[in-house]
Amino acid sequence: MGESITITDNRTGETIEIPIDRGGIDARAWGSLLPGIWFDDPSFTATSGADSAITYLDGAKGLLRYRGYPIEQLAGSTSFLEVAHLIVFGELPNRVQLTAWSDEIASEAPIHENFHKRILEGFRDDAHAMGVLVSGIAAMSTFWPDGKDVEDPVCRRTQIIRLIAKMPTLAASAYRRSVGTPYVQPDPDLDYTGNFLSMMFCQRDRPYEVDPVLRDALDLLFVLHADHEQNCSTTAARVVGSAHADPYLTVASAAAALSGPRHGGANEAVVRMLENIGSYDNVDDFIAGVKAGDQKLMGFGHRVYKNYDPRARIVKDTAHRVFEVTGRNPLLDMALKLEEVALADEYFISRNLYPNVDFYSGLIYQSMGFPVEMFTVLFAIGRTPGWLAHWDELLVNESRIARPRQTYSGRPERTVPHTDQR
Ligand code: CMC
C-alpha cells in the first residue's frame, strides 16, 4: 500500500488502514470499522461528493483547468460553444465537429410560442429574472417529457443540446417580458452569443448590430463561468440528478441554488453594494463596517480559492476592453479602491480573501446594458454546460442516490399529549 492512514476504534482497539487515493480516503472503509458513526461535515468542507473528470481546481495555487486545459489558455482562444463541447464531451471539437455542434444548438434554440404565452406571461411585471428563469427551466420539463429517460445516453445528449440551446432564448425572453417588448426568436445566421445579444436588445424597427468587442467579452465571460467543479449549484444538480429527476428539473434546481447572493447572486449584489457605498470617499467607512461584521464585501472570498481567483484576473482585464467601447463604468473606481484597500488590510490578508469571479463581472454586464436582475441569469447561461456535464457524468458512473446522514440533536422519545394538555 502507498500512502495511507490508520484509524483505531479506542472502544475496541480495532484498527483499519485506509489508502489515500488522490488526496482522499474512502469513507466506506471507515464505515466498515465504525458503522453508525458519521462524519459531522454540514457544509461539506471536508467531504468529496464526486469522482469527476471535468474540472481541476487548486484553490491554494489559484489554478483552474477544464478537462486539463488551463483557463488562461481557453479564455480568448476558444469560443463558449467550443468550451461547452469540451466540458460535456471531454474534447475540444475539430472544425467538422464544431460546425455540426453549432448547427445542432442553433436548431434547438427557438422556444415554442405557447411557452411564451402560457408560462412567461403568467408572471408579475416586476418578477425577478432569476425567478422567471428557474420557473421557465422547470416548465420545460412539461414541454419535453421525453427527457425523463435519463438512463439512455442518446436521450441525455438530446436534452443537453436542448438546454444549452434554449437558455439564451429563455433568458432574453425573461428580460423582454419584464420590459414589455415583443419576444424575439433566435436568428440561425448569428453565433450563440451574438444571437443572445440580438434577442436581448434588438428593436423591431431597426436591425441590431452586434458589437464584436462586446460579443467576444460576453462569450469569454460564459467560458469563465462554464464549470467550477463541486460548487453549490453543481452539487445541487448532482444531488437532484442522483434521484433520476429529469434534466430540466435538475438544472432548475441548480439555477435556484445559483440565485443566492453567496453564490451566483453575488454579481448582482456587488453592483448594488457599490451603488450603496455611493462615493469613493465612503470606501474606508464601508471596509470598517465589513471588518466590524456589519456586512460582507460582496465579490470577495471563496470556499476553495485561498489565492486570487484566476477568473477574476481575466474578468478585470476584460472590463478594460469593454469600457473602451461602452465608456468607463463610474463604479469602477470604487471597485478598484475597494480591492486595493482590502488586499492591503490584515482582516482580508489573514483570511485569504481575494476578489472572486463576481467582483468585476457585474460592472461589465452593467456597461453592456444588462439590468442588474439579469446578471445571475448570465452566470446561469455560462454554467449550464457544467451542470449538464456533471449530471451526465453522474449517470454514466451509475452513482447511488445522494443521501447523507445527520447528527440528531432533537428531543428524546416522548408521548403525544392530548390537545388540552399542550
Ligand atoms: N467579506 C468579509 N468577510 C468575509 C467574506 C467577505 N466577502 N468572506 C468570508 N469572510 C470572512 C468570514 O466572515 C470568516 O471570518 P471569521 O473567520 O472571522 O469568522 C472568514 O472570512 C472565513 O469565511 P467563511 O464564511 O468561513 O467562508 P465560506 O467558505 O463559508 O464562504 C463565501 C465562502 C463565498 C460564501 C463567502 O466568502 C462570501 O459570502 N463571499 C461574499 C459573496 C460572494 O462573493 N460569493 C461569490 C463566490 S464566487 C462565485 C460563485 O461560486 O458563485
Side-chain angles (χ1 to χ4, degrees), residues 261-264 266 290 296-303 311 347-348 351 353 356-358 379:
R262 287 173 161 185
H263 191 9
V290 171
K296 286 267 191 291
L297 175 51
M298 300 311 287
F300 258 67
H302 198 273
R303 169 62 58 76
R311 302 168 301 172
Y347 175 95
F348 296 90
R351 290 169 178 78
L353 299 172
N356 58 49
V357 70
D358 292 318
F379 193 149

Side-chain angles (χ1 to χ4, degrees), residues 35-50:
I37 295 194
W38 316 127
F39 290 102
D40 183 23
D41 187 20
S43 50
F44 311 127
T45 48
T47 300
S48 159

